[in-house]
Amino acid sequence: QVQLVESGGGLVQPGGSLRLSCAAVGIIFSVYDVGWYRQAPGKERELVARIPIPGTAMYADFVKGRFTISRDNAKNTMYLQMNSLKPEDTAIYYCNAQRGGLPPYWGQGTQVTVSS
């Protein structure tokens, strides 16, 4: 059974940093496009960053220069380093793994709250 398990969310002050992790079980992580999405209250889920296979990392304009996505295929894990956090970054963050035209796998989500 495939599982994506996120961790690392929490409460942080504006300007602070968090690092999210997503560990994959049951898939060969290295052949999947991976990404991070987020959903704020009352809003639709939106793409934050992704790394396609093959390819380089891509970012939504609202996180460019602040967030960094990375993957460690040997550990079947992906990361999202978030710096200079803003209150508008508050959301539930989800990791995603997708291969070709198959349905994507999603994690359960981790809450990130940016507030003083």
Side-chain angles (χ1 to χ4, degrees), residues 44-111:
E44 294 189 352
R45 191 172 297 189
E46 60 185 358
L47 174 66
V48 175
R50 66 188 293 265
I51 306 177
I53 296 295
T56 57
M58 297 181 287
Y59 298 90
D61 287 343
F62 53 79
V63 301
K64 281 182 180 177
R66 301 188 298 123
F67 291 11
T68 302
I69 187 174
S70 61
R71 63 192 298 166
D72 185 337
N73 291 333
K75 295 183 178 180
N76 253 25
T77 301
M78 58 187 288
Y79 306 95
L80 185 68
Q81 177 66 43
M82 305 186 294
N83 299 327
S84 301
L85 282 161
K86 305 174 181 180
E88 52 263 43
D89 294 318
T90 296
I92 299 174
Y93 284 71
Y94 299 90
C95 61
N96 164 287
Q98 187 165 18
R99 184 181 180 189
L102 298 174
Y105 296 110
W106 291 94
Q108 81 285 357
T110 185
Q111 176 71 47

Short mmCIF file of all heavy atoms in Angstrom, two decimals, residues 44-111:
data_model
loop_
_atom_site.label_atom_id
_atom_site.label_comp_id
_atom_site.label_asym_id
_atom_site.label_seq_id
_atom_site.Cartn_x
_atom_site.Cartn_y
_atom_site.Cartn_z
N GLU A 44 -8.83 27.25 -2.90
CA GLU A 44 -8.54 25.99 -3.57
C GLU A 44 -7.09 25.58 -3.34
O GLU A 44 -6.24 26.42 -3.04
CB GLU A 44 -8.82 26.13 -5.08
CG GLU A 44 -10.29 26.36 -5.41
CD GLU A 44 -10.56 26.28 -6.90
OE1 GLU A 44 -9.60 26.21 -7.68
OE2 GLU A 44 -11.74 26.29 -7.28
N ARG A 45 -6.84 24.29 -3.50
CA ARG A 45 -5.48 23.79 -3.38
C ARG A 45 -4.65 24.35 -4.54
O ARG A 45 -5.10 24.38 -5.68
CB ARG A 45 -5.48 22.27 -3.41
CG ARG A 45 -4.16 21.63 -3.02
CD ARG A 45 -4.29 20.12 -2.89
NE ARG A 45 -5.21 19.75 -1.83
CZ ARG A 45 -5.37 18.50 -1.40
NH1 ARG A 45 -4.65 17.52 -1.93
NH2 ARG A 45 -6.22 18.23 -0.44
N GLU A 46 -3.42 24.78 -4.22
CA GLU A 46 -2.56 25.37 -5.24
C GLU A 46 -1.17 24.77 -5.18
O GLU A 46 -0.69 24.35 -4.12
CB GLU A 46 -2.48 26.90 -5.04
CG GLU A 46 -1.93 27.35 -3.71
CD GLU A 46 -1.97 28.86 -3.52
OE1 GLU A 46 -2.40 29.59 -4.43
OE2 GLU A 46 -1.55 29.32 -2.44
N LEU A 47 -0.52 24.78 -6.34
CA LEU A 47 0.84 24.26 -6.44
C LEU A 47 1.81 25.24 -5.80
O LEU A 47 1.75 26.44 -6.06
CB LEU A 47 1.21 24.04 -7.90
CG LEU A 47 2.64 23.62 -8.19
CD1 LEU A 47 2.92 22.23 -7.64
CD2 LEU A 47 2.91 23.65 -9.70
N VAL A 48 2.73 24.70 -5.01
CA VAL A 48 3.78 25.51 -4.41
C VAL A 48 5.10 25.30 -5.16
O VAL A 48 5.75 26.26 -5.57
CB VAL A 48 3.97 25.14 -2.93
CG1 VAL A 48 5.15 25.90 -2.33
CG2 VAL A 48 2.69 25.42 -2.14
N ALA A 49 5.47 24.04 -5.36
CA ALA A 49 6.73 23.72 -6.03
C ALA A 49 6.69 22.26 -6.48
O ALA A 49 5.97 21.46 -5.88
CB ALA A 49 7.92 23.94 -5.09
N ARG A 50 7.45 21.95 -7.52
CA ARG A 50 7.51 20.57 -7.96
C ARG A 50 8.83 20.29 -8.64
O ARG A 50 9.52 21.21 -9.12
CB ARG A 50 6.34 20.23 -8.90
CG ARG A 50 6.35 20.94 -10.22
CD ARG A 50 5.04 20.68 -10.98
NE ARG A 50 4.92 19.29 -11.38
CZ ARG A 50 5.27 18.83 -12.58
NH1 ARG A 50 5.77 19.65 -13.48
NH2 ARG A 50 5.10 17.55 -12.89
N ILE A 51 9.20 19.01 -8.66
CA ILE A 51 10.38 18.54 -9.38
C ILE A 51 9.91 17.43 -10.31
O ILE A 51 9.57 16.34 -9.86
CB ILE A 51 11.47 18.00 -8.45
CG1 ILE A 51 11.85 19.01 -7.37
CG2 ILE A 51 12.70 17.60 -9.26
CD1 ILE A 51 12.89 18.48 -6.39
N PRO A 52 9.90 17.66 -11.61
CA PRO A 52 9.50 16.61 -12.56
C PRO A 52 10.68 15.67 -12.83
O PRO A 52 11.83 16.00 -12.52
CB PRO A 52 9.13 17.41 -13.81
CG PRO A 52 10.00 18.62 -13.74
CD PRO A 52 10.16 18.93 -12.28
N ILE A 53 10.35 14.52 -13.43
CA ILE A 53 11.38 13.56 -13.84
C ILE A 53 11.33 13.41 -15.35
O ILE A 53 10.33 12.91 -15.88
CB ILE A 53 11.17 12.19 -13.17
CG1 ILE A 53 11.33 12.30 -11.67
CG2 ILE A 53 12.12 11.14 -13.74
CD1 ILE A 53 12.71 12.65 -11.22
N PRO A 54 12.36 13.78 -16.12
CA PRO A 54 13.51 14.53 -15.63
C PRO A 54 13.17 16.01 -15.54
O PRO A 54 12.10 16.42 -15.99
CB PRO A 54 14.55 14.28 -16.73
CG PRO A 54 13.73 14.16 -17.97
CD PRO A 54 12.45 13.49 -17.56
N GLY A 55 14.06 16.78 -14.99
CA GLY A 55 13.80 18.21 -14.95
C GLY A 55 14.34 18.87 -13.72
O GLY A 55 14.92 18.23 -12.85
N THR A 56 14.10 20.15 -13.68
CA THR A 56 14.56 20.96 -12.56
C THR A 56 13.37 21.50 -11.77
O THR A 56 12.23 21.50 -12.27
CB THR A 56 15.43 22.12 -13.04
OG1 THR A 56 14.67 22.91 -13.98
CG2 THR A 56 16.69 21.63 -13.70
N ALA A 57 13.66 21.96 -10.59
CA ALA A 57 12.60 22.44 -9.72
C ALA A 57 11.89 23.65 -10.30
O ALA A 57 12.51 24.50 -10.96
CB ALA A 57 13.18 22.79 -8.35
N MET A 58 10.58 23.69 -10.07
CA MET A 58 9.76 24.82 -10.51
C MET A 58 8.99 25.33 -9.30
O MET A 58 8.56 24.53 -8.45
CB MET A 58 8.80 24.39 -11.61
CG MET A 58 9.49 23.91 -12.88
SD MET A 58 8.30 23.44 -14.15
CE MET A 58 7.69 21.91 -13.46
N TYR A 59 8.77 26.65 -9.25
CA TYR A 59 8.14 27.27 -8.10
C TYR A 59 7.02 28.21 -8.50
O TYR A 59 7.09 28.86 -9.55
CB TYR A 59 9.17 28.07 -7.30
CG TYR A 59 10.30 27.24 -6.74
CD1 TYR A 59 11.46 27.02 -7.46
CD2 TYR A 59 10.19 26.66 -5.48
CE1 TYR A 59 12.49 26.25 -6.96
CE2 TYR A 59 11.21 25.89 -4.96
CZ TYR A 59 12.35 25.68 -5.70
OH TYR A 59 13.37 24.91 -5.18
N ALA A 60 6.01 28.28 -7.66
CA ALA A 60 4.99 29.32 -7.82
C ALA A 60 5.65 30.67 -7.54
O ALA A 60 6.57 30.77 -6.72
CB ALA A 60 3.84 29.09 -6.86
N ASP A 61 5.17 31.68 -8.23
CA ASP A 61 5.77 33.01 -8.07
C ASP A 61 5.76 33.49 -6.63
O ASP A 61 6.70 34.16 -6.19
CB ASP A 61 5.04 34.03 -8.96
CG ASP A 61 5.35 33.85 -10.44
OD1 ASP A 61 6.35 33.18 -10.75
OD2 ASP A 61 4.59 34.38 -11.27
N PHE A 62 4.74 33.11 -5.89
CA PHE A 62 4.61 33.64 -4.53
C PHE A 62 5.60 33.02 -3.54
O PHE A 62 5.68 33.47 -2.39
CB PHE A 62 3.17 33.50 -4.01
CG PHE A 62 2.59 32.12 -4.11
CD1 PHE A 62 2.92 31.14 -3.20
CD2 PHE A 62 1.71 31.80 -5.13
CE1 PHE A 62 2.38 29.86 -3.29
CE2 PHE A 62 1.15 30.54 -5.24
CZ PHE A 62 1.50 29.56 -4.31
N VAL A 63 6.38 32.01 -3.94
CA VAL A 63 7.38 31.43 -3.05
C VAL A 63 8.80 31.51 -3.61
O VAL A 63 9.75 31.13 -2.93
CB VAL A 63 7.07 29.96 -2.69
CG1 VAL A 63 5.70 29.86 -2.02
CG2 VAL A 63 7.19 29.06 -3.89
N LYS A 64 8.94 31.99 -4.83
CA LYS A 64 10.27 32.07 -5.43
C LYS A 64 11.22 32.89 -4.56
O LYS A 64 10.87 33.97 -4.09
CB LYS A 64 10.19 32.68 -6.84
CG LYS A 64 9.72 31.72 -7.90
CD LYS A 64 9.71 32.37 -9.27
CE LYS A 64 9.24 31.39 -10.34
NZ LYS A 64 9.15 32.02 -11.67
N GLY A 65 12.41 32.33 -4.35
CA GLY A 65 13.42 33.00 -3.54
C GLY A 65 13.27 32.75 -2.05
O GLY A 65 14.16 33.12 -1.27
N ARG A 66 12.15 32.14 -1.63
CA ARG A 66 11.93 31.88 -0.21
C ARG A 66 11.89 30.38 0.10
O ARG A 66 12.34 29.96 1.16
CB ARG A 66 10.62 32.52 0.26
CG ARG A 66 10.57 34.03 0.07
CD ARG A 66 9.34 34.63 0.73
NE ARG A 66 8.09 34.14 0.17
CZ ARG A 66 7.12 33.55 0.88
NH1 ARG A 66 7.25 33.39 2.19
NH2 ARG A 66 6.01 33.15 0.29
N PHE A 67 11.31 29.58 -0.79
CA PHE A 67 11.14 28.15 -0.57
C PHE A 67 12.08 27.37 -1.49
O PHE A 67 12.35 27.80 -2.61
CB PHE A 67 9.71 27.72 -0.87
CG PHE A 67 8.66 28.22 0.08
CD1 PHE A 67 8.93 29.19 1.04
CD2 PHE A 67 7.37 27.69 0.03
CE1 PHE A 67 7.96 29.64 1.92
CE2 PHE A 67 6.38 28.14 0.90
CZ PHE A 67 6.68 29.12 1.83
N THR A 68 12.52 26.21 -1.01
CA THR A 68 13.34 25.31 -1.81
C THR A 68 12.82 23.89 -1.68
O THR A 68 12.71 23.36 -0.57
CB THR A 68 14.81 25.36 -1.36
OG1 THR A 68 15.30 26.70 -1.44
CG2 THR A 68 15.66 24.45 -2.25
N ILE A 69 12.52 23.28 -2.83
CA ILE A 69 12.09 21.88 -2.86
C ILE A 69 13.30 21.01 -3.18
O ILE A 69 14.15 21.41 -3.98
CB ILE A 69 10.95 21.67 -3.88
CG1 ILE A 69 10.40 20.25 -3.79
CG2 ILE A 69 11.42 22.00 -5.30
CD1 ILE A 69 9.16 20.01 -4.68
N SER A 70 13.36 19.85 -2.56
CA SER A 70 14.45 18.92 -2.86
C SER A 70 13.95 17.49 -2.64
O SER A 70 12.88 17.28 -2.06
CB SER A 70 15.67 19.20 -1.98
OG SER A 70 15.35 19.05 -0.61
N ARG A 71 14.72 16.54 -3.14
CA ARG A 71 14.35 15.13 -2.99
C ARG A 71 15.60 14.32 -2.72
O ARG A 71 16.68 14.65 -3.22
CB ARG A 71 13.61 14.63 -4.22
CG ARG A 71 14.45 14.66 -5.50
CD ARG A 71 13.59 14.42 -6.74
NE ARG A 71 12.95 13.13 -6.72
CZ ARG A 71 11.94 12.78 -7.53
NH1 ARG A 71 11.48 13.65 -8.41
NH2 ARG A 71 11.41 11.59 -7.45
N ASP A 72 15.45 13.25 -1.96
CA ASP A 72 16.51 12.30 -1.69
C ASP A 72 15.95 10.94 -2.08
O ASP A 72 15.25 10.30 -1.29
CB ASP A 72 16.92 12.34 -0.22
CG ASP A 72 18.11 11.45 0.08
OD1 ASP A 72 18.36 10.50 -0.69
OD2 ASP A 72 18.79 11.69 1.09
N ASN A 73 16.25 10.51 -3.30
CA ASN A 73 15.67 9.26 -3.80
C ASN A 73 16.14 8.05 -3.00
O ASN A 73 15.40 7.08 -2.85
CB ASN A 73 16.00 9.09 -5.28
CG ASN A 73 15.28 10.10 -6.15
OD1 ASN A 73 14.21 10.59 -5.80
ND2 ASN A 73 15.88 10.42 -7.29
N ALA A 74 17.34 8.10 -2.48
CA ALA A 74 17.86 6.98 -1.69
C ALA A 74 17.04 6.79 -0.42
O ALA A 74 16.90 5.67 0.09
CB ALA A 74 19.32 7.21 -1.36
N LYS A 75 16.48 7.89 0.10
CA LYS A 75 15.67 7.82 1.31
C LYS A 75 14.17 7.83 1.02
O LYS A 75 13.36 7.83 1.94
CB LYS A 75 16.01 8.99 2.24
CG LYS A 75 17.43 8.96 2.78
CD LYS A 75 17.66 10.13 3.74
CE LYS A 75 19.07 10.07 4.32
NZ LYS A 75 19.32 11.20 5.26
N ASN A 76 13.82 7.88 -0.29
CA ASN A 76 12.40 7.96 -0.64
C ASN A 76 11.71 9.12 0.05
O ASN A 76 10.56 9.00 0.52
CB ASN A 76 11.67 6.65 -0.31
CG ASN A 76 11.34 5.84 -1.55
OD1 ASN A 76 11.99 5.96 -2.59
ND2 ASN A 76 10.32 5.01 -1.45
N THR A 77 12.38 10.25 0.10
CA THR A 77 11.88 11.41 0.86
C THR A 77 12.06 12.68 0.05
O THR A 77 13.04 12.83 -0.69
CB THR A 77 12.62 11.52 2.20
OG1 THR A 77 12.43 10.31 2.94
CG2 THR A 77 12.10 12.68 3.02
N MET A 78 11.11 13.59 0.20
CA MET A 78 11.22 14.91 -0.38
C MET A 78 11.07 15.95 0.72
O MET A 78 10.55 15.64 1.81
CB MET A 78 10.15 15.13 -1.46
CG MET A 78 8.73 14.95 -0.95
SD MET A 78 7.51 15.03 -2.26
CE MET A 78 7.54 16.75 -2.66
N TYR A 79 11.53 17.16 0.43
CA TYR A 79 11.56 18.20 1.44
C TYR A 79 11.07 19.53 0.86
O TYR A 79 11.12 19.76 -0.36
CB TYR A 79 12.99 18.40 1.95
CG TYR A 79 13.65 17.14 2.46
CD1 TYR A 79 14.47 16.38 1.63
CD2 TYR A 79 13.44 16.70 3.76
CE1 TYR A 79 15.07 15.22 2.09
CE2 TYR A 79 14.04 15.54 4.23
CZ TYR A 79 14.84 14.81 3.39
OH TYR A 79 15.43 13.65 3.83
N LEU A 80 10.63 20.39 1.75
CA LEU A 80 10.33 21.76 1.39
C LEU A 80 10.90 22.66 2.48
O LEU A 80 10.38 22.68 3.60
CB LEU A 80 8.82 22.00 1.23
CG LEU A 80 8.44 23.40 0.73
CD1 LEU A 80 8.89 23.58 -0.72
CD2 LEU A 80 6.93 23.63 0.85
N GLN A 81 11.98 23.35 2.15
CA GLN A 81 12.56 24.31 3.07
C GLN A 81 11.87 25.64 2.85
O GLN A 81 11.89 26.18 1.73
CB GLN A 81 14.07 24.45 2.82
CG GLN A 81 14.75 25.49 3.70
CD GLN A 81 14.74 25.11 5.17
OE1 GLN A 81 14.98 23.96 5.53
NE2 GLN A 81 14.45 26.08 6.03
N MET A 82 11.26 26.17 3.90
CA MET A 82 10.50 27.41 3.80
C MET A 82 11.15 28.47 4.68
O MET A 82 11.23 28.30 5.90
CB MET A 82 9.05 27.17 4.24
CG MET A 82 8.37 26.05 3.48
SD MET A 82 6.61 25.89 3.89
CE MET A 82 6.73 25.37 5.61
N ASN A 83 11.62 29.54 4.05
CA ASN A 83 12.25 30.65 4.76
C ASN A 83 11.44 31.93 4.56
O ASN A 83 10.59 32.00 3.67
CB ASN A 83 13.68 30.86 4.23
CG ASN A 83 14.57 29.67 4.44
OD1 ASN A 83 14.43 28.93 5.42
ND2 ASN A 83 15.51 29.46 3.53
N SER A 84 11.71 32.91 5.38
CA SER A 84 11.03 34.21 5.29
C SER A 84 9.52 34.03 5.21
O SER A 84 8.84 34.62 4.36
CB SER A 84 11.54 34.98 4.07
OG SER A 84 12.93 35.19 4.14
N LEU A 85 9.00 33.22 6.10
CA LEU A 85 7.56 32.90 6.05
C LEU A 85 6.71 34.12 6.36
O LEU A 85 7.08 34.99 7.16
CB LEU A 85 7.26 31.77 7.04
CG LEU A 85 7.65 30.38 6.53
CD1 LEU A 85 7.76 29.39 7.67
CD2 LEU A 85 6.66 29.89 5.49
N LYS A 86 5.56 34.16 5.69
CA LYS A 86 4.61 35.26 5.81
C LYS A 86 3.27 34.72 6.32
O LYS A 86 2.96 33.54 6.12
CB LYS A 86 4.39 35.92 4.45
CG LYS A 86 5.65 36.40 3.77
CD LYS A 86 5.33 36.91 2.37
CE LYS A 86 6.58 37.37 1.65
NZ LYS A 86 6.27 37.86 0.28
N PRO A 87 2.46 35.56 6.95
CA PRO A 87 1.14 35.08 7.40
C PRO A 87 0.32 34.46 6.27
O PRO A 87 -0.42 33.50 6.50
CB PRO A 87 0.49 36.35 7.95
CG PRO A 87 1.64 37.18 8.40
CD PRO A 87 2.73 36.93 7.41
N GLU A 88 0.48 34.96 5.06
CA GLU A 88 -0.29 34.42 3.94
C GLU A 88 0.20 33.04 3.49
O GLU A 88 -0.43 32.42 2.63
CB GLU A 88 -0.28 35.39 2.75
CG GLU A 88 1.09 35.86 2.33
CD GLU A 88 1.44 37.22 2.92
OE1 GLU A 88 1.17 37.43 4.12
OE2 GLU A 88 2.01 38.04 2.18
N ASP A 89 1.30 32.56 4.07
CA ASP A 89 1.74 31.19 3.81
C ASP A 89 1.00 30.18 4.69
O ASP A 89 1.18 28.96 4.53
CB ASP A 89 3.25 31.05 4.06
CG ASP A 89 4.08 31.85 3.08
OD1 ASP A 89 3.75 31.85 1.88
OD2 ASP A 89 5.08 32.48 3.52
N THR A 90 0.18 30.66 5.60
CA THR A 90 -0.59 29.76 6.46
C THR A 90 -1.53 28.90 5.63
O THR A 90 -2.33 29.42 4.85
CB THR A 90 -1.39 30.59 7.48
OG1 THR A 90 -0.49 31.28 8.34
CG2 THR A 90 -2.31 29.69 8.29
N ALA A 91 -1.41 27.58 5.79
CA ALA A 91 -2.21 26.64 5.01
C ALA A 91 -1.89 25.22 5.47
O ALA A 91 -0.95 25.01 6.25
CB ALA A 91 -1.89 26.78 3.52
N ILE A 92 -2.66 24.28 4.96
CA ILE A 92 -2.28 22.87 5.07
C ILE A 92 -1.44 22.54 3.84
O ILE A 92 -1.86 22.82 2.71
CB ILE A 92 -3.51 21.96 5.14
CG1 ILE A 92 -4.35 22.31 6.37
CG2 ILE A 92 -3.08 20.49 5.19
CD1 ILE A 92 -5.67 21.56 6.45
N TYR A 93 -0.29 21.97 4.07
CA TYR A 93 0.64 21.62 2.99
C TYR A 93 0.58 20.12 2.73
O TYR A 93 0.66 19.32 3.67
CB TYR A 93 2.06 22.06 3.35
CG TYR A 93 2.26 23.54 3.21
CD1 TYR A 93 1.67 24.43 4.11
CD2 TYR A 93 3.02 24.08 2.18
CE1 TYR A 93 1.83 25.80 3.97
CE2 TYR A 93 3.20 25.44 2.04
CZ TYR A 93 2.59 26.31 2.94
OH TYR A 93 2.75 27.66 2.79
N TYR A 94 0.47 19.79 1.44
CA TYR A 94 0.35 18.40 1.02
C TYR A 94 1.49 18.04 0.06
O TYR A 94 1.81 18.83 -0.85
CB TYR A 94 -0.96 18.18 0.27
CG TYR A 94 -2.21 18.45 1.06
CD1 TYR A 94 -2.79 19.71 1.08
CD2 TYR A 94 -2.84 17.43 1.78
CE1 TYR A 94 -3.95 19.97 1.79
CE2 TYR A 94 -4.01 17.67 2.50
CZ TYR A 94 -4.54 18.93 2.50
OH TYR A 94 -5.70 19.17 3.21
N CYS A 95 2.04 16.86 0.23
CA CYS A 95 2.99 16.39 -0.78
C CYS A 95 2.26 15.49 -1.77
O CYS A 95 1.20 14.93 -1.48
CB CYS A 95 4.17 15.67 -0.14
SG CYS A 95 3.78 14.19 0.81
N ASN A 96 2.85 15.38 -2.94
CA ASN A 96 2.20 14.73 -4.09
C ASN A 96 3.26 13.98 -4.88
O ASN A 96 4.37 14.48 -5.07
CB ASN A 96 1.53 15.84 -4.91
CG ASN A 96 1.15 15.40 -6.31
OD1 ASN A 96 2.01 15.24 -7.18
ND2 ASN A 96 -0.14 15.25 -6.55
N ALA A 97 2.90 12.79 -5.35
CA ALA A 97 3.78 12.03 -6.23
C ALA A 97 2.94 11.52 -7.39
O ALA A 97 1.86 10.95 -7.17
CB ALA A 97 4.44 10.87 -5.49
N GLN A 98 3.42 11.74 -8.59
CA GLN A 98 2.64 11.36 -9.77
C GLN A 98 3.55 10.79 -10.84
O GLN A 98 4.67 11.28 -11.04
CB GLN A 98 1.88 12.55 -10.32
CG GLN A 98 0.90 12.22 -11.44
CD GLN A 98 -0.08 13.33 -11.71
OE1 GLN A 98 0.13 14.48 -11.31
NE2 GLN A 98 -1.18 13.01 -12.36
N ARG A 99 3.03 9.79 -11.57
CA ARG A 99 3.79 9.16 -12.63
C ARG A 99 2.92 9.06 -13.87
O ARG A 99 1.86 8.43 -13.84
CB ARG A 99 4.26 7.77 -12.21
CG ARG A 99 5.14 7.09 -13.23
CD ARG A 99 5.55 5.72 -12.75
NE ARG A 99 6.41 5.04 -13.72
CZ ARG A 99 6.77 3.78 -13.65
NH1 ARG A 99 6.35 3.04 -12.64
NH2 ARG A 99 7.54 3.25 -14.55
N GLY A 100 3.36 9.71 -14.95
CA GLY A 100 2.62 9.67 -16.20
C GLY A 100 1.20 10.16 -16.03
O GLY A 100 0.94 11.13 -15.32
N GLY A 101 0.25 9.46 -16.65
CA GLY A 101 -1.14 9.85 -16.56
C GLY A 101 -1.90 9.16 -15.45
O GLY A 101 -3.13 9.26 -15.37
N LEU A 102 -1.18 8.47 -14.56
CA LEU A 102 -1.85 7.76 -13.47
C LEU A 102 -2.32 8.74 -12.39
O LEU A 102 -1.77 9.84 -12.26
CB LEU A 102 -0.88 6.75 -12.86
CG LEU A 102 -0.39 5.65 -13.80
CD1 LEU A 102 0.67 4.80 -13.12
CD2 LEU A 102 -1.55 4.79 -14.27
N PRO A 103 -3.31 8.35 -11.61
CA PRO A 103 -3.77 9.22 -10.51
C PRO A 103 -2.63 9.49 -9.54
O PRO A 103 -1.84 8.59 -9.24
CB PRO A 103 -4.88 8.40 -9.85
CG PRO A 103 -5.35 7.47 -10.93
CD PRO A 103 -4.13 7.13 -11.73
N PRO A 104 -2.53 10.70 -9.03
CA PRO A 104 -1.44 11.02 -8.09
C PRO A 104 -1.69 10.44 -6.71
O PRO A 104 -2.83 10.15 -6.33
CB PRO A 104 -1.46 12.55 -8.06
CG PRO A 104 -2.89 12.90 -8.31
CD PRO A 104 -3.38 11.87 -9.28
N TYR A 105 -0.59 10.29 -5.97
CA TYR A 105 -0.68 9.96 -4.56
C TYR A 105 -0.53 11.25 -3.76
O TYR A 105 0.26 12.13 -4.13
CB TYR A 105 0.43 8.98 -4.17
CG TYR A 105 0.33 7.65 -4.85
CD1 TYR A 105 1.24 7.27 -5.83
CD2 TYR A 105 -0.68 6.74 -4.51
CE1 TYR A 105 1.16 6.04 -6.47
CE2 TYR A 105 -0.77 5.50 -5.15
CZ TYR A 105 0.15 5.16 -6.12
OH TYR A 105 0.06 3.95 -6.75
N TRP A 106 -1.29 11.31 -2.65
CA TRP A 106 -1.25 12.50 -1.79
C TRP A 106 -0.94 12.10 -0.35
O TRP A 106 -1.37 11.04 0.12
CB TRP A 106 -2.62 13.20 -1.80
CG TRP A 106 -2.98 13.86 -3.09
CD1 TRP A 106 -3.72 13.32 -4.11
CD2 TRP A 106 -2.61 15.17 -3.52
NE1 TRP A 106 -3.84 14.23 -5.13
CE2 TRP A 106 -3.17 15.37 -4.80
CE3 TRP A 106 -1.87 16.20 -2.94
CZ2 TRP A 106 -3.01 16.57 -5.51
CZ3 TRP A 106 -1.70 17.37 -3.65
CH2 TRP A 106 -2.27 17.55 -4.92
N GLY A 107 -0.23 12.99 0.33
CA GLY A 107 -0.07 12.83 1.76
C GLY A 107 -1.31 13.32 2.49
O GLY A 107 -2.25 13.86 1.88
N GLN A 108 -1.29 13.16 3.81
CA GLN A 108 -2.46 13.52 4.61
C GLN A 108 -2.49 15.01 4.95
O GLN A 108 -3.52 15.51 5.40
CB GLN A 108 -2.47 12.70 5.92
CG GLN A 108 -1.57 13.23 7.04
CD GLN A 108 -0.09 12.97 6.82
OE1 GLN A 108 0.33 12.33 5.85
NE2 GLN A 108 0.74 13.47 7.73
N GLY A 109 -1.39 15.70 4.71
CA GLY A 109 -1.33 17.14 4.97
C GLY A 109 -0.72 17.46 6.31
O GLY A 109 -0.84 16.70 7.28
N THR A 110 -0.03 18.60 6.36
CA THR A 110 0.55 19.09 7.61
C THR A 110 0.26 20.59 7.71
O THR A 110 0.43 21.33 6.74
CB THR A 110 2.05 18.79 7.70
OG1 THR A 110 2.55 19.17 8.99
CG2 THR A 110 2.86 19.51 6.62
N GLN A 111 -0.18 21.01 8.88
CA GLN A 111 -0.58 22.41 9.06
C GLN A 111 0.63 23.28 9.29
O GLN A 111 1.50 22.99 10.12
CB GLN A 111 -1.53 22.53 10.26
CG GLN A 111 -1.94 23.95 10.60
CD GLN A 111 -2.88 24.55 9.57
OE1 GLN A 111 -3.86 23.92 9.16
NE2 GLN A 111 -2.60 25.78 9.14
#
